[in-house]
Every structure is written in C-alpha cells, then in structure tokens.
Amino acid sequence: MDLSPILNPLNDAQRAAVTAPLGPVLVLAGAGSGKTRVLTHRIAWVIQAENSSPHNILAVTFTNKAAAEMRARVEKLLNVPGSALWIGTFHGIAHRLLRVHWREAGLPQGFQILDSEDQQRLIKKIVRAAELDETRWVPREVQWFINSNKDEGRRPQHLKDGNDPTRAQLIKLYAAYEESCARAGVVDFAELLLRAYELWRDNPALLAHYRRRFQHVLVDEFQDTNDIQYAWLKLLAPPQAIAAGQQLAAGDARPSYPFVVGDDDQAIYSWRNARAENLQQFRRDYPQAQLFRLEQNYRSTATILEAANGLIAHNAGRLGKQLWTEGARGELIRLYAAFNERDEAEFVTHRIREHVARGGLRREIAILYRSNAQSRVFEEAFLSARVPYRVYGGLRFFERAEIKDALAYLRLLSNRRDDASFERVVNLPTRGVGAKSLDVLREYARGAGTSLWEAAGACIAAGSLGARAAAAIHGFMALIERLAGETRALALHEQVDQVLRGSGLVEHYKRDKADRGEARVENLDELVSAARGFTPEASDLPPLEAFLAHAALESGEGQAGEWEDCVQMMTLHSAKGLEFPVVFLAGMEEGLFPHQRSTAGLDGLEEERRLCYVGMTRAMRQLYLTYAEQRRLHGVDSYGQASRFIRELPEELIEEVRPRVQVSRPVAVGRFRPEEPAVAGVRLGARVRHGKFGEGVVLNVEGSGAHARVQVSFERQGTKWLMVQYANLEPL
Ligand code: ATP
Ligand code: MG
C-alpha cells in the first residue's frame, strides 16, 4: 500500500505525530504549524496503515466550515467518500446522537433547538412569570448562570444555595427554565452537550456500542473545550481502560484512543466556559499520552509571525513555544488610522479593489472584527462599491427578524408545542390577539403544565377568552394545521415558499414600507433559496426538521453565494483555524479591541491579546491593522485611542499608511512633536476647551482644510483625536 501521499507532505515532527503508535496523543503547537494537517493525516493513516474503517473515526472540529474542509481533505487523501466519517462540531455531533437516541435521551422525537436569543426570551418570560424584577434578575445574567452550570454538568438538583437567597432564586429559575424547555420540547446549545453526555453516562450498553465503534476520537482546537465536552470525550476514551487495555492483547476491551491537538495561546472561549487547562489536565488524565510539539510555521511571512510572537510575549503564564518559519520576510504590516468607521471601510474597499485589479481573488481577503455589529458599515460600503462579500458565523442571515418569523411558522408546523415560536407568530401578521389573551393562555399553560398550543385549544373550548381573541386564535391554529396538511408532500423549498405566502408573512412585509419591508421580503426569498440549496447531512431526519436544525446550528452559513468569489467577513472568534492571504484586522481601538468589558481584569485582557494573536496569525502574506479615531457603533459616538495591541508590536515591522493626509505620524501614537505646524488656528501646546470633553492641551496636529485634525489630552477624558472642523474648540 502506498502511504507516501499521507507521509510526504509532512515534516519530521508532523510525521512522528501522524504515525504515533496507537494510544492517547497530544499535539501542542502554535498557530499555522500544521496541527489540523496532522489531525487530518492521522485519520488517513489509521485507516490505511492501522486497518481502521472510516466508521471507526470520530473527528471534532470547531466550525462546520472546518468540518467540511477536513472531510474533503480526507476524501482526497484516501480517494474514498468522506461521508462515512463522523466529522463535526461538538454541538453538531451531540445533536446527531440525540436525534438517533431521542427516546433514551428523554426527548420528544421532533425536539427543536433553541438558539441563544430564543433562550433569553424564554428566560425573560420565566422571570416575569415568577413576578420578579427584571432589573434585578437580568435575563442575560440568569442565562449565563444556567449555561455555565450546564457547561459544567450541573442540573438544578445538584446545586446548593449555601443559604444565599440570590443563589437560591437563581437555582429556582434554572429549574423553572428546565421545566419549560421540557414542556415545549426544546433544547438549548448547552443542553445539547449535557444531554449527549448524560445519554452515554446513563446508558452503558449504548456507550459500549459507541466505544466499539469509534476507535479513534480526534479533537482539533482542544484548548477551547469546556468541562462537559472533555467529560464526554473521557466517557468514550476512559483513561483507566486505556491504561489497562494497553496491557491486553486484543478483543472487545480495546478502548477508543483520543488524539487531541491544541494551542494554549489560542484559547479564546473562556467566556463561554472553555478551559485551556484541559491541555494540562489531559496529560494528567492520560499519563501515558505521547506528546508532540511542532514549531515550524508554514502559513505566514516572517514579518507577520514575528509581530504575532512579539504581541503574545506580553502574556504571562504561557506554556511557551517559539514559532519560526523558513518563509520569506514579506511586506511590512500596514497600519491605517481612519477618521471614522466609514473612512475605515472605504480604505478597505479601496485596497480590495487594488488587490483585484492586480489579478487577486476576493476570497483571498478576510475582514476580521471584534464585534458583529462592525460588519454593517463594511457591508454598506461593499454594497455600494459592488464588492461581493459574505459574512460568516455571526448569526447574520438566520438571526434576522423576518427570517426568525418564518422559521417560527416552520417550527410550529413540525412541533406544535414550541412555545417560543407560538408566541412569536400567533399575532404576526396582526390578527387581534392581544397581550391579555396571551396572558390567559400562559396562565392556563402554567397551571395545567401544557404547551401554549394545548392551552389555546382548552381556553377556546372553555370560553375563557374574549370572542374576538378566541376567533383569532382559532383561525391561527386552523391556519397552521392547514399549512401542515397542504405542504406535507411538497419538496422542502416549496414547503417553505408556501408557508411564507400562506402565513401572510410576505404580504405583511410587503405592506411595511417604512421598516425595510422590501429588503425583508428579499430575505424571505433568500430563505426559499437556502431551502432549495439545502442538502441534509444526516439523512435520517425529515427534510424540514433537518433544515430547522441547520438554521439553528449553522446560522450564517446558509447564505447564498458561498461558491462566488467574495470577500470573507467574520468575527475574530469565528476565524479560528482559518487562513487567508490578506487579512484586515479592523477596529483596533481601545474599548473595542481590547473590548471594554475585558480590560478590567488581567485574565480578560490576556484573552483579548490571544484573540489578537489568533487574528494576526490568520494572515499568510499581508496584514492590515485599521482603527477609527471616531466611531459610531450601536448609535453611540466614541473617540477611541489606538489599541494597546498596536503599541505592543515591534515598531520596525509596521508601516503607517496615510493616503489622504500629507503628514505622516510615527506609530507610537500620541508623542509630542513640536515641529508640527499649527492647523486651522489650533496650536501645539495650546490649551483648549471642548463642549463635551472639557479642557485639555493640544498634543498633535495634522492635515489641512476639511481633514485637519488635532490630538488633545483632556484633563478628565484622556487623549482624543478630533476633526477641527467639527470639534468647535475654544482657545483658552
Ligand atoms: P491553527 O493553529 O491556526 O489552527 P494549524 O496548526 O492547524 O493552525 P494548519 O492549518 O494545519 O495549521 O497548517 C497551516 C498551513 O500550513 C496550511 O496551509 C497547511 O497546508 C500548511 N502546512 C502545514 N504543514 C505543512 C508542511 N509540512 N509543508 C507545507 N505546508 C504545510
Ligand atoms: Mg488548525
């Protein structure tokens, strides 16, 4: 058998890891050193050289995109269809297991997935139903309490209140939330993982079956696993059994072997309860694990790599590794200080155009940002400049209100007990179902322990609703039943189309002239296209259910145009594991990145720095850093300073780009430079007063005319750059 296609594309260290004798393996290595390549080749290796079958493989990656890539790579290496392999995200795999074993997992067959926004809405309802003050029991905080307990494997009955009334109340809310979910037949993201864990833990025969089946369990990005994910992995590959099994000759007792790869410098999900300590814990749990380190980076130019190494060196308590490359020095990192967020987007648009004019592809370019909301300004600039783009991850498409409305109808079709969906659309389009009638239904549902759908039926029968409301709700229920009947035999996209029209949603948005009605109708049309282009991964589900699960799990990835040559946009968090020839890190401002919330604690700041490291190491050839001195985000203006991360980079690796203003400014932002001329009457060193920021001293001036700007150190508000034209500075 020719193993050279598997082994040739590897360096010595990588080859050693790929061909390691069967047993637990840990690969600990920095960005771009080939961890994912090693994991993929290991799959091919155990199939070809160790006589495993593709059915014996369970591979966990971080995103659906990464899973698809891995599947394709294995297919290419082995020349076999990758569909036999179980490759997916933890959530995707847990979901697949629960669909197959819904009965053992104690779930209704048609259970639905509750995304984070739905979850918050449900919690809000529960807080209200308990007659608690929402400002004291903030739904988002309750949500955090529930999810972090689930992520650590704790149900309400495991929690002790320690005589703390606040905690006691939170535990009660958690229990009430669980009841509601069970009643509605819905499962949130954290629940998927916990349920899948309990499924195996509590069903030894089932677990034994999967242990026999998955002889190899491989996990990418191991540094971002949480407690429950790791516990789940250990169920499949129990350390004690491995220790004992290695002395055994053969037979059933052979356990699954974990093969995990990770990088502590890229741990960026601790806010979602991930534990980078799992890397060290793995070595304690599997003392016989073979450890491999990879140090050569194949992705980035020497300049980019050195800058990234320089940045991450500011973190303490690292496991420590130094990456090197044989690659070219490459171009300097470009820094652009934009006047505001629109200028930033224009600059990026301009550079994209240049790239394309030189024969480059748009898909080689990624725009990475800290916060989802930053994408909108780029989207607008790209739309008007006709630059095709695609937003990944960030729950764009399926998060849109009109799409969620449509999905709510579809979800009700497949599960009448889905209360969140019922509430969302029972009066959309308006049918005359008021808040009071809904209260009656809720009250009844709570008392009788039923869903709202059942409550509605009962309340209509009992005459406990007003005549108008009863007729409206009855009409709504009849509509759902009718749509379900009419669409049962249709193809998925026809089903979606008919529900959109039959429900009156399309009409509703068409009439809505003021609030982007037209764009919303277009989005609804896009949903039909998404349904048309949809191919379910696991064929054991009815298409509609598979599609709804897809919508909840893979939000954003259903957008049309994946095949098109388009600019890639995503948050830094979702860029993990990916690489692009050209990367723009946008919004490099204090408060935005590092994020305001994270700068208080050292841990938070270090995680932000790792996030920046992840962002920089996505770049292969060119890296741009941009920031805006004035930014309007969520409707609020702020005047930012350049991110401290810019200052932490080795200065000689950076070149500042200032295409519009003649004066260039050194990287060390805010240095006093007396040779600067006065601009628009504002002199260096002068004392000035600003309407909002109070009094300060002019530190820096540059540009002229409409672009003239000054940097002022305000006594109370810190240092800011201002446009002279708008700042109305008063000399003192
Ligand atoms: P990250 O930490 O960002 O997830 P990684 O360690 O998983 O990175 P890979 O994505 O596997 O790294 O590899 C980075 C790039 O280097 C890829 O383009 C990969 O194809 C290439 N590469 C890896 N190993 C080699 C090698 N031995 N020879 C040539 N190219 C390689
Ligand atoms: Mg990787």
Side-chain angles (χ1 to χ4, degrees), residues 182-205:
R183 212 158 45 225
V186 293
V187 168
D188 61 51
F189 287 146
E191 183 72 26
L192 283 175
L193 301 177
L194 179 53
R195 233 2 122 106
Y197 166 79
E198 291 171 346
L199 172 72
W200 279 355
R201 186 196 60 190
D202 302 338
N203 293 279

Side-chain angles (χ1 to χ4, degrees), residues 447-512:
T450 66
S451 66
L452 289 173
W453 181 273
E454 288 156 314
C459 290
I460 293 171
S464 42
L465 291 163
R468 198 169 109 82
I473 294 175
H474 184 263
F476 171 71
M477 295 171 77
L479 171 71
I480 297 291
E481 294 294 359
R482 183 165 59 77
L483 288 173
E486 283 172 4
T487 60
R488 193 161 290 133
L490 297 181
L492 176 64
H493 70 277
E494 291 167 343
Q495 203 173 8
V496 173
D497 193 39
Q498 183 145 343
V499 169
L500 291 183
R501 279 157 230 288
S503 63
L505 272 186
V506 171
E507 263 312 298
H508 169 76
Y509 283 118
K510 266 195 188 148
R511 275 198 306 272
D512 184 1

Side-chain angles (χ1 to χ4, degrees), residues 352 362 382-383 385-390 564-568:
I352 293 172
R362 279 182 287 263
F382 294 162
L383 279 173
R386 297 185 188 280
V387 175
Y389 68 89
R390 211 176 121 76
E564 246 185 281
D565 178 31
C566 52
V567 174
Q568 318 274 301

Side-chain angles (χ1 to χ4, degrees), residues 119-120 123 126-127 132 136-162 164-178 188 190-191 194 271-273:
Q119 184 187 28
Q120 207 170 314
I123 291 171
I126 290 166
V127 169
L132 295 170
R136 162 119 169 68
W137 305 95
V138 182
R140 194 174 354 173
E141 289 167 12
V142 179
Q143 179 181 30
W144 188 85
F145 176 83
I146 293 174
N147 290 349
S148 30
N149 276 302
K150 286 192 182 185
D151 283 344
E152 284 163 18
R154 289 186 296 265
R155 297 284 182 195
Q157 64 270 24
H158 301 135
L159 298 174
K160 303 231 160 24
D161 62 22
D164 172 355
T166 304
R167 194 170 156 79
Q169 184 59 60
L170 283 169
I171 297 172
K172 266 197 214 150
L173 287 169
Y174 180 9
Y177 169 77
E178 280 211 321
D188 61 51
E191 183 72 26
L194 179 53
W271 55 283
R272 262 200 217 159
N273 306 312

Side-chain angles (χ1 to χ4, degrees), residues 578-593:
L578 306 179
E579 60 189 20
F580 308 91
V582 183
V583 168
F584 290 88
L585 287 194
M588 298 285 295
E589 292 135 46
E590 281 295 303
L592 186 54
F593 191 34

